[in-house]
Amino acid sequence: MNEDLTILAIETSCDETAAAVLKGSNTILSNVISSQVKYHEKFRGVVPEIASRKHVELIGPVIKEALSEAGLILSDIDAIAVVNGPGLVGALLIGLGVAKGLAYAAKKPLICVNHIEAHILANFLENEDLKPPLVALVVSGGHTALVYMKDFGEYEIMGETLDDAAGEAFDKVAKFLGLGYPGGPIIDRLAKEGDPAAIDFPRAMMRAKNYDFSLSGLKTAVINYVRAERAKGNEINVNDLAASFQAAVIDVQVAKAIRAAKEKGASRLVLAGGVSANRSLRIRMKEEAEGEGIRVYNSSLILCTDNAAMVAKAAYEMIKKDPSLIEIDAARNMDANAYPVLSLGNI
């Protein structure tokens, strides 16, 4: 395998249109992200139809910019990578369709990547000493899961959310309180000025022997608390509420992640996904895990949210594990069923 392999990657799983060029294992030549937040914020959440339409508008210019920043043209690329799940089906199909077309036209191999795996591997782009085995806490707008990574390409889902994802819970609470969108950064900012012990919200499934999560009950508890206080004519201390809600989410995530790492005998734990940018989560996980002899890794903020550099990294490791992937002509597998959308369970 050519260690300096150059990969063009595309990411359209939700509401970021992204493209990146990666050279070798971790040299990011470009990482272009076009956020759609301004189109979705008035709805306080992602509208799938709008997301798909914006991907159609933006994906061409974003890919062009990624190649330009890298100082390359399409013929210089060795392989094209794209996320094919999990995510919003309509959004995924835009990226997959464009990637197929580019691969076919340029006669380049097409590598399809699992979105969750890509989030985990984002940590390897900046932490050269990081290596498996490890446990990953994946927390984002659409996913909350604990994943044991035995090696590249070898994963075990230890637990996942039974209802709301972490980012989804933050967004819903922020929407109810009229704080804006996306909710995670807003609540994290307000929590800095609040008392996390002010309100005793439930820690769902904290003592359960499994590694699953549940956040819908906590969301309901916040809503019921606010309604009860307003009915009494009491003013809501939004900072205390944000801090208490956030602490209830983080307490369970930290406890279960550390327990999972200890069960697997893993001395490394990574945070992945958009919610891993949360300041309080990073601090708490580092303090408590390292007290147990477990080293915590995380990415810079730009690599926490959806981006294409992480997709390219995942593709690179797939090719490294199976060099024959780079020899597959895209034209051999261009039918609609060649690259089925992956679910979290298929990771």
Side-chain angles (χ1 to χ4, degrees), residues 111-326:
I111 313 296
C112 289
V113 171
N114 182 288
H115 181 71
I116 304 302
E117 180 179 13
H119 269 305
I120 295 171
L121 297 196
N123 287 275
F124 289 83
L125 286 168
E126 298 175 319
N127 299 293
E128 293 186 12
D129 62 325
L130 178 59
K131 59 184 67 176
L134 57 84
V135 166
L137 173 64
V138 183
V139 277
S140 67
H143 311 285
T144 298
L146 275 169
V147 180
Y148 173 58
M149 179 183 180
K150 184 178 180 181
D151 199 353
F152 290 102
E154 298 179 38
Y155 304 93
E156 174 192 344
I157 306 294
M158 298 183 70
E160 56 190 302
T161 182
L162 302 179
D163 38 62
D164 290 351
E168 182 183 6
F170 275 95
D171 286 343
K172 287 180 177 178
V173 167
K175 180 178 180 179
F176 174 74
L177 296 172
L179 298 177
Y181 172 84
I186 297 171
I187 289 177
D188 191 27
R189 185 171 64 251
L190 293 172
K192 290 181 185 178
E193 309 301 324
D195 178 6
I199 308 166
D200 186 20
F201 287 129
R203 270 67 171 165
M205 303 187 75
M206 173 76 95
R207 294 177 178 80
K209 293 182 179 180
N210 59 37
Y211 293 104
D212 291 331
F213 302 91
S214 175
L215 290 167
S216 64
L218 172 59
K219 175 193 64 184
T220 301
V222 172
I223 293 171
N224 289 341
Y225 171 84
V226 172
R227 287 175 174 168
E229 291 300 302
R230 286 174 176 170
K232 297 174 188 175
N234 295 335
E235 184 177 347
I236 304 297
N237 185 317
V238 179
N239 292 339
D240 283 350
L241 180 65
S244 299
F245 162 71
Q246 181 169 269
V249 175
I250 290 174
D251 282 353
V252 180
Q253 292 177 346
V254 170
K256 290 206 168 191
I258 293 173
R259 179 156 59 87
K262 291 171 73 174
E263 178 184 310
K264 291 295 186 180
S267 60
R268 291 172 286 271
L269 195 157
V270 305
L271 298 176
V275 181
S276 70
N278 183 282
R279 174 192 59 89
S280 297
L281 174 60
R282 287 181 176 231
I283 293 172
R284 282 281 308 284
M285 189 68 81
K286 183 176 178 63
E287 290 177 347
E288 298 196 21
E290 295 191 354
E292 297 286 344
I294 301 167
R295 184 169 178 185
V296 177
Y297 294 82
N298 48 52
S299 302
S300 59
L301 300 186
I302 193 68
L303 293 178
C304 289
T305 55
D306 289 350
N307 67 89
M310 67 182 192
V311 179
K313 174 61 175 176
Y316 178 88
E317 294 300 336
M318 289 171 67
I319 296 168
K320 187 175 181 180
K321 199 172 185 73
D322 181 8
S324 68
L325 291 173
I326 200 71

Side-chain angles (χ1 to χ4, degrees), residues 64-114:
K64 184 177 181 180
E65 184 176 346
L67 287 169
S68 177
E69 283 190 12
L72 301 173
I73 58 176
L74 190 57
S75 61
D76 296 323
I77 299 297
D78 295 307
I80 294 172
V82 64
V83 163
N84 70 330
L88 301 176
V89 175
L92 287 165
L93 289 174
I94 303 303
L96 190 57
V98 170
K100 283 183 177 183
L102 289 175
Y104 183 79
K107 295 182 172 57
K108 304 293 182 180
L110 179 63
I111 313 296
C112 289
V113 171
N114 182 288

